[in-house]
Amino acid sequence: MSLKRPRSLKWSLVLRIALLQCAMLTLIILGIIGALLATGLIPHDYEDGTMDVLADAVARDAGGKLVLRETSDLTKLRSEVPDLWFIIRDRQGQRLQEGTVPAIFQPFAGLLDTISDARIDHSIGESAPPDAKIRWTETAAGNLQIFTGTKGGLSLLRLLGQAPQFFLQGILPLAGLMALATLFATPWVVRGALSGLGHAAAEAERIDIDQRGVQLPLKDVPKEVTPLVKAVNAALARLDKGYERHKRFLTDAAHELRTPVAILNTRLASLPATPERARLLQDAARLSTLTDQLLDLQRLDRQTSPFEKVDLVAVARGVIVDLAPIAFSAGYEMSFEPEREAVFATGDRTAIERAVTNIVQNAIEHGGRTGKITVSVTAAAVIEVRDEGNGVPPAERERIFEPFYRLHPQDHGAGLGLNLVQEIMQLHGGRIEILDGKPRGACFRMSFRALAA
């Protein structure tokens, strides 16, 4: 199942603010219109009420003659304006007339061909509304000229019918401008408001199994996100305490094991020499090695002493001297090939010695008990341990460094030995890698940081 792509806070805010602005702008304008309607200001000033009703009612019959449909608005207008009068005409001379044109406006009836739009009133100067209007307007019957009085009011349905056009021409452009402003302003605001989270995220990237005690900073973190950061800090503190308890348990367990393992080795050594005794001694030796490896891991985890100048040739030579008898008794030949008399690196001598020892012991354990084990030291601060066994398949060369990993089910595995080697190399800023042996077998290469002699 694929994970959903996380939503952008910036674009979520932009979209929601833009929609909110559009909704608020619409409500404000509708509220103003509603207030004007409720107070009667719009009907008082509106002068096209009669003309709107007539324009909606006029039509043509089957013969193309102008007719007036009896719409609900027209019926209402007739009841509200008993002396309703009007003249409706088209450009071809057809005329539709009803009521009596007031005497004062009759001269205009004969001049309709020469008038396009006009507002006619009894008084001097502009009044709102005028007493009569002349206007060419679009209707269902085509473009017609209407001459009528202005006693009709504003139709609410007609007003609502104009709402979509009003929205497109009035509200939408304003909302678009506000949305553009939001688009440019919101990222800047969000970036500033969440700057503290950026610092917390950078600090979170430092969290590692070897970087304990890290807490995410609360400075400049928004108040709404502070509970989350505090919860993460509390979780990190609990993990640190749990890790320390785990480490203390392993250290205490390893120390407690040393005494019974030593007693077991002593008692086994006192038994008569038999094949069974040899196998038991070998198993006890493995148990003793595992105990030492656990203690080494804990010691590395608390490494505080500064590194010193270490002679890799001397370290490798000492390991060969210690392990050569074991290798000879297991059926191997041993070879030591230093490129120089001394090759120096910086590090912890005890830890480096343990790493080389574990690699050589691994070669003794898994080298097939035949052939030669070769330890070489090059001038580039590289120690190689080669055997002539079956080698390590390329697909397994990363996993072999996992604790207690078994290359084959019947193997005893490498215990913590190779994992400890990897930890030591990381501590020294070096690396451990597995190559093909020559002519066969495996080659474990440990690369350190070289130091001039």
Side-chain angles (χ1 to χ4, degrees), residues 261-285:
V261 169
I263 294 173
L264 179 62
N265 280 324
T266 301
R267 290 179 178 177
L268 289 175
S270 64
L271 294 176
T274 62
E276 184 66 23
R277 172 179 173 272
R279 285 193 294 271
L280 289 174
L281 282 172
Q282 188 177 17
D283 291 338

Side-chain angles (χ1 to χ4, degrees), residues 404-445:
F404 304 105
Y405 179 72
R406 294 170 181 253
L407 187 58
H408 304 290
Q410 68 274 14
D411 290 345
H412 294 292
L416 292 172
L418 294 183
N419 178 255
L420 179 61
V421 172
Q422 190 176 56
E423 294 281 344
I424 292 172
M425 296 308 298
Q426 290 176 353
L427 178 68
H428 286 77
R431 68 180 187 277
I432 173 74
E433 52 189 331
I434 304 175
L435 308 175
D436 292 327
K438 296 179 180 179
R440 60 192 181 89
C443 173
F444 286 77
R445 175 181 291 172

Side-chain angles (χ1 to χ4, degrees), residues 87 89 95 105-115 147:
I87 298 174
R89 59 193 292 270
R95 177 183 289 233
F105 301 136
Q106 285 182 1
F108 295 97
L111 300 173
L112 291 179
D113 287 342
T114 61
I115 300 174
F147 178 26

Side-chain angles (χ1 to χ4, degrees), residues 7 30 88 123 171 192 220 229 232 237 329 367 412:
R7 293 190 302 172
L30 292 178
I88 303 174
S123 59
I171 296 177
D220 297 329
V229 177
V232 172
S329 64
H412 294 292

Side-chain angles (χ1 to χ4, degrees), residues 40-54 73-74 76-85 128-133 148-156 158:
L41 294 176
I42 290 181
H44 175 73
D45 292 331
Y46 190 66
E47 57 191 46
D48 288 333
T50 302
M51 192 166 291
D52 288 343
V53 172
L54 294 174
D73 286 340
L74 182 59
K76 182 179 179 183
L77 179 63
R78 292 185 193 279
S79 64
E80 293 176 350
V81 186
D83 57 344
L84 176 67
W85 63 270
D131 291 323
K133 286 194 72 174
T148 185
T150 59
K151 293 183 179 181
L154 177 64
S155 171
L156 182 59
R158 188 174 186 87

Side-chain angles (χ1 to χ4, degrees), residues 166-216:
F166 177 67
F167 177 80
L168 291 175
Q169 295 181 354
I171 296 177
L172 195 59
L174 287 176
L177 289 175
M178 296 173 69
L180 282 176
T182 302
L183 177 64
F184 288 104
T186 301
W188 176 74
V189 173
V190 170
R191 193 180 303 113
L194 301 183
S195 61
L197 278 183
H199 299 150
E203 195 67 23
E205 291 182 353
R206 293 181 52 238
I207 298 175
D208 188 74
I209 192 66
D210 297 320
Q211 283 284 344
R212 293 182 297 278
V214 176
Q215 292 282 285
L216 304 184

